[in-house]
Amino acid sequence: MKKHILLSFLATALAASAVPFTNITGAVVDTRDYNLTVTADNGATDPAAGIHTYSWRSSVPCAAAAETNGWLFTGWSGDASSDHTQTDVLVLMDALSKAVLANYSDDPDGDGLHNTNEWAVGANPWISDTDGDGFDDLLEFDHNWNPTVSDLWAVDYIAANGGAFGLYPSNAVLDIAVGQMLIETSGGTATLSLQLEESGDLVTWSNAGPPEVWSRPVDGEKQFFRVRSSK
Ligand SMILES: [Ca+2]
Ligand SMILES: [Ca+2]
Ligand SMILES: [Ca+2]
């Protein structure tokens, strides 16, 4: 138990608070315990996890190891705070009881790939998609890809060869709709044919005059048409 000497001008006020102070020839000694509880479930700290006693208003330096057995320090919480870039903090013992928690994570980027596996393949444990190609590190790891080298070339290849992968450009989709929409694309021209029908019983239908036909040129690889009622 450490003791702290207060300035004599505080003696009157502190004596009135009925706490265990001892008056020694004009000075006041604070005999209380000021406990700091340190918690660190997955990493090393100094002072170590546990309860430690300090003197009144002392500043206690707390240090956390940046990495312990695959767990990365992500920051302090409780009566101290910091992010993972700062591993040391000072805790001012101005209350009888204080508590600090050193937080660690085995997957700080939340991509599902634990730090040890991130390091094993050279990925960044703080970034979910190390090479920025849109495939996160876990997916690349699970498929034995390299999470540090972009695979965007594969995306570009599939986009350029969609037919080989069962994908179709929008003009091909337009062709598929011919049977239902009466839209044809041929020789760079899209033709829409609308037939007005009439019925007296909603069962039997017959043509109400000739169809209306519109034709428009199709420019480029991608072009969209739609039909809406004018009233
Ligand atoms: Ca991770
Ligand atoms: Ca990562
Ligand atoms: Ca990636």
Side-chain angles (χ1 to χ4, degrees):
M1 180 183 303
K2 296 183 179 180
K3 299 178 178 179
H4 187 88
I5 299 175
L6 299 176
L7 296 175
S8 59
F9 71 85
L10 291 174
T12 302
L14 292 173
S17 64
V19 291
F21 294 103
T22 301
N23 198 330
I24 303 175
T25 59
V28 173
V29 176
D30 187 342
T31 62
R32 294 174 296 181
D33 290 340
Y34 288 83
N35 290 330
L36 174 64
T37 301
V38 179
T39 304
D41 290 337
N42 295 294
T45 57
D46 181 18
I51 300 176
H52 306 270
T53 303
Y54 299 96
S55 55
W56 183 69
R57 289 195 65 80
S58 59
S59 291
V60 181
C62 295
E67 185 272 328
T68 303
N69 297 326
W71 292 76
L72 285 167
F73 175 71
T74 59
W76 291 96
S77 58
D79 290 320
S81 63
S82 70
D83 60 29
H84 72 270
T85 61
Q86 180 185 5
T87 57
D88 299 347
V89 292
L90 282 176
V91 181
L92 178 62
M93 296 308 296
D94 57 355
L96 287 175
S97 177
K98 291 213 167 187
V100 292
L101 170 64
N103 299 287
Y104 283 80
S105 174
D106 60 353
D107 182 21
D109 58 12
D111 62 4
L113 186 61
H114 289 180
N115 297 332
T116 49
N117 286 332
E118 298 252 14
W119 289 320
V121 293
N124 188 329
W126 298 100
I127 300 175
S128 60
D129 179 10
T130 297
D131 54 22
D133 62 1
F135 301 104
D136 67 28
D137 291 344
L138 177 64
L139 182 147
E140 298 211 39
F141 178 86
D142 286 346
H143 293 82
N144 292 319
W145 296 3
N146 188 338
T148 67
V149 177
S150 172
D151 292 291
L152 279 178
W153 67 268
V155 177
D156 294 339
Y157 181 83
I158 292 172
N161 300 275
F165 298 91
L167 304 175
Y168 300 94
S170 55
N171 58 343
V173 175
L174 195 63
D175 287 338
I176 293 173
V178 167
Q180 294 78 34
M181 298 296 296
L182 299 178
I183 298 177
E184 293 180 310
T185 58
S186 175
T189 300
T191 301
L192 171 63
S193 177
L194 289 181
Q195 175 64 61
L196 185 65
E197 295 184 335
E198 59 185 356
S199 172
D201 56 8
L202 292 178
V203 176
T204 302
W205 293 85
S206 60
N207 291 342
E212 294 289 340
V213 179
W214 293 270
S215 294
R216 298 288 300 173
V218 177
D219 300 323
E221 181 178 336
K222 182 184 295 183
Q223 192 165 355
F224 300 95
F225 296 95
R226 71 176 184 181
V227 178
R228 66 176 175 82
S229 170
S230 61
K231 292 184 179 178

